[in-house]
Amino acid sequence: MSPVAVFAPQLSVSALQARLRTSEGSRGAAEMDALPFEAGARLARGSWSPVAGSRAQVRREEVAGAATTIALAQFRPELLEGVKAIEQLSSVPERSGDAERQLNSVIGRLVVALRDVCGWTLRGDVLGSGFKRGPGGLSNTTLNPNNSRYVGLHLDSWDRLPARERHRGQNRVCLNLGSGPRGLQFVPLTAMEMSLRLDDLGSAVVDRCGGVREGDLARRFLRCFPYEPVLRITTLPGEAYIAPTENVVHDGCTLDTSGPDVTLTIRGHFEPS
Ligand SMILES: [Fe+2]
């Protein structure tokens, strides 16, 4: 049983399973890929298939903890309209100051609403937030601004925690403000579990399969375990996911929409109350 579960009490089990897809594992990025990827990037492999019941790892009622839970939340339309208006304002350079002030206020309202719609609260302060706009139709969405290449499946590292302490890291709310569905692809394992499984392999095997011991935990694990399934969950317009992105390997996916991909991300320590 995977330690990472999906929590969406507003959906029936069958509706939630309909939102989930699984791939056959992961593979290294190649020259022929449609996007320019960093060297060593790992991507979901093969086609996306429906998830059979026992593999869905779905819990609707019970939340194990923020570090191992991906939650879905749906916000009220009137609140979403306000957020979208601020996103539009933020793209006008001379109004960006207004947008920033309004964003701080609307984030406060979103945090309150989150408690009402799915029972999650923010412990401490918001650690960061921002709108992001990108194209639809992409297998992967995270771009490294330093080299303009896509990073593929990865762990976020805002907190710079070692592998076995990543469960203490921040998580994030990512609200889909676009007009189409967007996916969160993820490997349903914690950083702790990946680290333990690499240790179980032993350093000689890790080296042999190209998963050098130093460096990036996500890529090293996926090279050593290429058949570890990658799951994908869909958020519809107006929905947000809350995900432990420091602790669970992930990336965005906009394959199912042609329109611009627009999101608002709020980073902090969100937890089930
Ligand atoms: Fe990320």
Side-chain angles (χ1 to χ4, degrees), residues 86-99:
I86 297 169
E87 193 275 332
Q88 295 281 337
L89 197 63
S90 70
S91 63
V92 181
E94 57 270 25
R95 301 294 306 278
S96 61
D98 290 342

Side-chain angles (χ1 to χ4, degrees), residues 238-256:
E239 284 182 341
Y241 65 73
I242 310 169
T245 52
E246 307 268 314
N247 196 37
V248 173
V249 172
H250 67 280
D251 198 10
C253 176
T254 61
L255 281 176
D256 292 337

Side-chain angles (χ1 to χ4, degrees), residues 142 151-152 154-158 172 184 241 245 248 250-252:
T142 305
V151 303
H154 65 280
L155 290 162
D156 293 343
S157 290
W158 291 92
R172 62 174 53 199
L184 172 71
Y241 65 73
T245 52
V248 173
H250 67 280
D251 198 10

Side-chain angles (χ1 to χ4, degrees), residues 114-136:
L114 203 58
R115 191 183 55 211
D116 297 338
V117 298
C118 72
W120 283 55
T121 54
L122 174 65
R123 175 168 54 84
D125 296 328
V126 169
L127 300 175
S129 63
F131 293 108
K132 191 173 155 198
R133 191 171 263 267

Side-chain angles (χ1 to χ4, degrees), residues 207-222:
D207 288 348
R208 207 161 49 240
C209 67
V212 292
R213 275 163 285 165
E214 293 75 29
D216 187 308
L217 172 65
R219 291 176 182 175
R220 188 172 27 141
F221 178 85
L222 295 174

Side-chain angles (χ1 to χ4, degrees), residues 45-103:
R45 181 161 50 84
S47 55
W48 292 101
S49 313
V51 173
S54 62
R55 291 181 66 190
Q57 318 292 359
V58 170
R59 290 183 210 146
R60 290 181 61 248
E61 310 297 341
E62 159 202 347
V63 184
T68 56
T69 302
I70 294 170
L72 293 189
Q74 170 83 55
F75 291 99
R76 293 191 318 276
E78 57 270 27
L79 184 52
L80 292 167
E81 289 313 312
V83 181
K84 287 180 186 174
I86 297 169
E87 193 275 332
Q88 295 281 337
L89 197 63
S90 70
S91 63
V92 181
E94 57 270 25
R95 301 294 306 278
S96 61
D98 290 342
E100 199 170 321
R101 278 188 293 279
Q102 292 182 31
L103 178 59

Side-chain angles (χ1 to χ4, degrees), residues 17-18 20-23 49-58 231-232:
Q17 285 183 345
L20 286 163
R21 292 288 180 274
T22 184
S23 77
S49 313
V51 173
S54 62
R55 291 181 66 190
Q57 318 292 359
V58 170
L231 302 184
R232 191 180 85 188

